[in-house]
Amino acid sequence: MLSINGTRLMERIHALGEIGKDAEGRRTRLAASDAEKEGRDLVAGWIREADLELVVDRIGNMFGIWQTEENRLEKPLMIGSHIDTVINAGQYDGCLGVIGGIEVIKTLRDAGIRTARPVVVGAFTNEEGVRYSPDMMGSLVYAGGMAVDEALATVGTDGTVLGEELKRTGYEGTVQPGFLQPEAFVELHIEQGPIMDVENVKIGAVENLQGIHWQRVTIQGAANHAGTTPTALRADAGLAAAKVNVFLRQLVEKSGGVATVGTIRLEPNAINVIPSGAVFTVDLRNPDKAKLEADEKALAGYFNELEQSDHVKISTERLTEFDPVLFDQGIVRTIEQAAAARGLSCRRMTSGAGQDAQMLARICPTAMIFVPSIGGISHNPREYTRDEDAVAGANVFLDVVRELAGGSY
C-alpha cells in the first residue's frame, strides 16, 4: 500500500515549528508578521521542491498547484490549511494540513500516479484571527464571503494594515481569490480536543462544525472610591461583567453549547477604584443553529436585565457570525473507508473549532480528517500529536486524495 514519507513529514513539522520562537521559546507566527514570512518562505521552498506551481492570491493565500496537460481543464481537488498561529502556540495546528498536503502530492507524483483532476495544496492567510479580524479570513475571502479590498484594509491589533503588511513581507499576490474553483476540499487537522485521545480513536471523520458567534461587549458604570462607596450605591462595571460570565456558563450547560469570555479589560484598572468600564469578548458556539441563536437571544435579554439591576449601560459589537456547517457525507464516508482499509479505528466527529474547511464548504463539497491531540491540548506549547498518529492521518489523507482526484498508475 502506498504511503507517505513519515520521517520527512515530521522533520518538516518540527522545522516549521522552530520558526517564530522568542528567547523564552514562545512560538508566535501572527498573520503577515516577519515570523510568518519566514514560515511562508520555508513552505514556499517545499512547494517548489515538490515541483508544484506556486501562486499567491491578493489576500496572501499560497497555493501549490499540480496539474498536467491531460487534466488542467478539470476542476481541482483542493487540500490544505494554514501556518499562522496564536500567541505562544503549539506546532501542529494548521501546519499538519499544509505540510501533509505537500507530502501527499509529492508521494503521488513520485509513485507515478496520474490523477483525473489537478490537486492543489493551500496555506490560507490569517486563519487564527489574532492580529487581524475576522479569523479564517483568507479562506473566507477565497470563498467570496468577504471582499478582498475590505480584508486588505483591515487594521490589526498593533495598528498595522493587512494589505500593507502582506506587501511588505512579499506575499501580496496578483491573482484574485477564487481564481480556482475546487471540485472538493479536504483538510487534515489535529482534533484540538480530548475525545479521540480519551477513546483511543486514530482517525476522526469530521461530519460537521459548530456555529461560532463572537461579540465585543462594553459595560459602562461609574468609578468611585473602593473604600467609601457602599455596595448598594455602586455601578460596578467589573461586577456586571463577572455576572455575564457566570450567566453564560449556566446558559450553555442547558443548551449543550460552549461559551468563553476570552478577553477582558477594566477601566481605570486600579486596585482601589470601582471599575467604570469593562470591555470583554464573548465566544458562543453550538452545532445546532437554533440553539445558538436562542443562546444569543437569551444573552441579549440578560443584558437588558443587568442594565436595570446594576445601573450600568451595555453595548455590543458583532465580531464574527458563522453558522454551523454540515460537511459532505460522501467525503466523510470516503474517509471512513480509507481508515478501515488501513486498519485504523475511526469515528464521526464535530469540529468544535473554526476551520478553513467551513469557509470552503460555501463553494464545494468539503470534509475534514482529524488525528488525536494528546490531552486535548491546543493553542498551547504543550499541544502534541504522536508521530505515528500524524503519519497515520497523512496516509489516510493520501488515500482520500487519490480517490477523490481519480488517481491511477
Side-chain angles (χ1 to χ4, degrees), residues 27 41 53 64 71 84 86 111 115-116 150 155 168 178 195 202 204-205 215 223-225 232 276 305 309 325 347 406:
R27 180 187 297 104
D41 289 347
E53 178 187 1
N71 68 23
D84 68 309
V86 297
T115 58
E150 178 187 355
V155 179
R168 181 184 68 81
I195 296 172
K202 296 304 181 183
Q215 58 181 302
N224 215 329
H225 195 290
S276 61
E305 295 176 15
S309 64
V325 174
R347 63 160 286 172

Side-chain angles (χ1 to χ4, degrees), residues 99-388:
I99 298 171
I102 297 170
E103 183 64 36
V104 162
I105 295 176
K106 182 169 178 58
T107 300
L108 292 173
R109 293 194 67 167
D110 289 351
I113 301 294
R114 301 166 64 120
T115 58
R117 62 182 68 257
V119 182
V120 178
V121 57
F124 293 98
T125 298
N126 191 47
E127 194 272 352
E128 296 292 3
V130 175
R131 192 182 187 195
Y132 302 99
S133 184
D135 56 343
M136 297 164 286
M137 182 188 286
S139 52
L140 176 64
V141 171
Y142 195 88
M146 184 179 190
V148 62
D149 289 333
E150 178 187 355
L152 290 171
T154 302
V155 179
T157 55
D158 54 0
T160 58
V161 177
L162 175 58
E164 295 174 359
E165 287 294 274
L166 287 172
K167 184 175 182 179
R168 181 184 68 81
T169 57
Y171 283 94
E172 181 187 40
T174 56
V175 302
Q176 287 296 118
F179 71 103
L180 293 173
Q181 288 298 304
E183 177 70 17
F185 178 83
V186 183
E187 182 172 1
L188 173 66
H189 209 280
I190 61 170
E191 181 195 355
Q192 300 180 277
I195 296 172
M196 296 177 68
D197 184 34
V198 169
E199 297 184 1
N200 195 28
V201 173
K202 296 304 181 183
I203 299 295
V206 186
E207 61 180 347
N208 60 359
L209 187 145
Q210 291 194 111
I212 305 171
H213 287 189
W214 285 2
Q215 58 181 302
R216 181 180 291 114
V217 181
T218 301
I219 301 180
Q220 294 178 313
N224 215 329
H225 195 290
T228 63
T229 309
T231 297
L233 299 180
R234 298 183 178 206
D236 187 337
L239 177 63
K243 288 182 177 181
V244 172
N245 205 346
V246 173
F247 174 82
L248 283 167
R249 172 60 64 87
Q250 296 170 342
L251 181 69
V252 298
E253 284 177 346
K254 297 176 182 177
S255 70
V258 290
T260 306
V261 173
T263 70
I264 188 166
R265 183 180 74 250
L266 299 181
E267 298 172 352
N269 203 35
I271 192 170
N272 60 348
V273 181
I274 298 165
S276 61
V279 180
F280 57 95
T281 54
V282 173
D283 179 326
L284 269 175
R285 306 189 188 208
N286 199 301
D288 185 303
K289 181 179 180 180
K291 290 181 179 180
L292 179 60
E293 291 175 345
D295 281 352
E296 194 154 71
K297 184 177 180 180
L299 178 60
Y302 184 67
F303 287 155
N304 292 333
E305 295 176 15
L306 208 54
E307 285 185 318
Q308 300 302 313
S309 64
D310 284 43
H311 313 292
V312 295
K313 296 293 183 183
I314 302 178
S315 60
T316 62
E317 175 191 357
R318 168 71 61 208
L319 300 178
T320 289
E321 185 174 1
F322 297 129
D323 288 337
V325 174
L326 181 65
F327 288 137
D328 183 82
Q329 295 302 294
I331 301 178
V332 172
R333 286 192 294 271
T334 299
I335 295 168
E336 291 175 320
Q337 291 162 2
R342 288 188 178 263
L344 298 168
S345 56
C346 181
R347 63 160 286 172
R348 294 201 171 196
M349 306 281 300
T350 294
S351 176
Q355 311 285 1
D356 288 313
Q358 79 187 81
M359 301 307 169
L360 272 296
R362 299 177 177 213
I363 59 173
C364 67
T366 301
M368 297 184 69
I369 301 167
F370 274 173
V371 294
S373 298
I374 302 306
I377 296 171
S378 184
H379 285 188
N380 183 306
R382 293 188 296 118
E383 172 184 282
Y384 178 62
T385 292
R386 296 184 185 91
D387 288 6
E388 58 266 32

Side-chain angles (χ1 to χ4, degrees), residues 13-22 27 29 38 91:
I13 287 173
H14 295 312
L16 182 55
E18 289 301 308
I19 295 176
K21 285 187 176 180
D22 61 17
R27 180 187 297 104
R29 289 194 307 273
E38 187 178 349
Q91 69 174 357

